[in-house]
Amino acid sequence: MPELPEVETVRRGLQPVMEGQRIARVETRRDGLRFPFQKDFVARLEGRMVSGLGRRAKYLMADMESGDVLLMHLGMSGSFRVTLPEGESTPGDFHYPRSENRTHDHVVFHMASGAMISFNDPRRFGYMKIVPRLEMDAEPLLRGLGPEPLGNEFDAAMLAQSCAGKKTSLKAALLDQRVVAGLGNIYVCEALFRSHLSPKREASTLASRSGAATDHAKRLVGSIHTVLNAAIKAGGSSLRDHRQTDGELGYFQHSFLVYDREGESCKTPKCRGTVKRFTQNGRSTFWCQTCQK
Ligand SMILES: [Zn+2]
């Protein structure tokens, strides 16, 4: 499943072909994806200029000059392919499987520039929705979302405040989109490992009795920033290499320290532990019980 860094990489890959460009024609090749397309979906996009391409959590947001915003979510298996006269690229080539099967191209944006942007999604958990910019604050898909993990407002004080008194595990708290938006299983495992905190630790321990951020909270926020930035950087390198890529270059999975490493030795210097896996809230947690406390 694409996580935040992948979505950010996709955004950066699509930016040059979408921003400041007009959508000439839109093809929807079925009635909908996870949800049906709005009846006026095509009409509200065709002939319109995209003034900016942003991201909120795992949503891509194409700002239209008309005042609409096109929200796009990759779901479990969604990806975009950009076809230009000089060749094709697939922004966001990461560790999640991507389909090459063109029968799964469900939405195609034909840009006035000649670029073709195809949305491919075999499992169809992705979705697209157009929302007037003025109604964004009330949009149910976005309303409950907490702060962006790489945004200025997300810091140790804020994380401590959200976790104060929470009896749930740290892992569950970090996956809660109201606490922090867009963090998924992989990067939560990586961030907890790098900050040497147990995924089973009670979330409330990020706050002192007075509600202030503990050192744990500070360490954790630092690790969240580190893993996300490293992953976005790795995605960026895969973007740069896409012309000659064999599909392996720039994969961030090569630098996972704990995720998907069950049974292998812990990468914390001087730790002699072994990476273990267990199921937590229905998801696989990878951790080292020797150095994550
Ligand atoms: Zn260890």
Side-chain angles (χ1 to χ4, degrees):
M1 185 188 320
E3 291 205 21
L4 187 148
E6 286 88 325
V7 179
E8 177 59 22
T9 304
V10 171
R11 188 188 73 78
R12 292 178 188 191
L14 290 179
Q15 220 171 6
V17 287
M18 286 196 102
E19 254 182 29
Q21 305 293 329
R22 193 173 299 280
I23 301 176
R25 196 161 61 85
V26 179
E27 278 180 75
T28 49
R29 295 182 175 169
R30 42 187 314 120
D31 294 339
L33 298 163
R34 183 164 170 182
F35 310 117
F37 292 116
Q38 290 150 295
K39 287 209 170 58
D40 54 359
F41 182 83
V42 169
R44 282 163 79 175
L45 298 174
E46 281 188 344
R48 312 288 185 175
M49 177 84 86
V50 180
S51 49
L53 186 65
R55 180 187 57 76
R56 172 78 172 107
K58 296 205 291 184
Y59 290 93
L60 292 168
M61 309 203 304
D63 256 295
M64 310 302 296
E65 219 173 39
S66 59
D68 276 331
V69 179
L70 168 63
L71 294 179
M72 298 178 278
H73 196 287
L74 299 173
M76 306 282 286
S77 58
S79 65
F80 285 94
R81 190 176 66 253
V82 177
T83 310
L84 298 167
E86 60 267 34
E88 287 187 338
S89 64
T90 50
D93 256 349
F94 267 85
H95 49 272
Y96 68 98
R98 291 173 40 95
S99 162
E100 295 296 327
N101 187 339
R102 313 243 156 150
T103 60
H104 301 304
D105 286 354
H106 303 308
V107 183
V108 182
F109 300 105
H110 298 269
M111 306 304 286
S113 64
M116 201 167 93
I117 302 166
S118 313
F119 180 68
N120 184 292
D121 188 3
R123 298 185 63 183
R124 298 201 305 272
F125 278 102
Y127 46 97
M128 296 189 187
K129 183 180 181 186
I130 301 173
V131 181
R133 194 178 304 131
L134 294 172
E135 293 170 23
M136 288 292 274
D137 286 347
E139 171 52 40
L141 291 171
L142 305 175
R143 203 170 39 200
L145 289 176
E148 281 292 315
L150 293 173
N152 290 333
E153 53 173 355
F154 180 69
D155 58 12
M158 178 175 230
L159 181 60
Q161 200 178 28
S162 320
C163 289
K166 265 200 164 64
K167 301 285 172 207
T168 54
S169 69
L170 205 42
K171 171 100 190 284
L174 292 174
L175 287 174
D176 182 342
Q177 301 299 297
R178 294 165 297 185
V179 172
V180 55
L183 271 193
N185 196 39
I186 295 176
Y187 297 104
V188 167
C189 288
E190 289 292 308
L192 287 170
F193 176 78
R194 284 165 204 238
S195 47
H196 306 301
L197 295 173
S198 165
K200 298 177 180 178
R201 170 185 275 275
E202 203 171 273
S204 64
T205 61
L206 293 187
S208 70
R209 273 215 191 120
S210 66
T214 60
D215 284 346
H216 300 319
K218 292 171 191 163
R219 227 158 60 201
L220 185 53
V221 167
S223 301
I224 290 170
H225 287 157
T226 304
V227 292
L228 292 179
N229 283 323
I232 291 169
K233 204 170 157 211
S237 58
S238 77
L239 276 184
R240 276 193 297 281
D241 294 334
H242 65 242
R243 300 278 176 209
Q244 55 275 36
T245 189
D246 56 1
E248 293 295 326
L249 290 173
Y251 276 32
F252 185 67
Q253 72 184 56
H254 297 311
S255 55
F256 286 160
L257 295 182
V258 73
Y259 187 81
D260 217 11
R261 295 193 64 247
E262 184 183 12
E264 295 177 41
S265 53
C266 175
K267 288 199 173 183
T268 298
K270 295 189 182 139
C271 178
R272 300 182 135 199
T274 303
V275 174
K276 296 270 197 299
R277 182 177 70 88
F278 69 102
T279 305
Q280 201 176 13
N281 307 99
R283 311 289 301 275
S284 280
T285 293
F286 296 87
W287 73 310
C288 171
Q289 61 189 69
T290 309
C291 64
Q292 285 180 257
K293 298 293 175 190

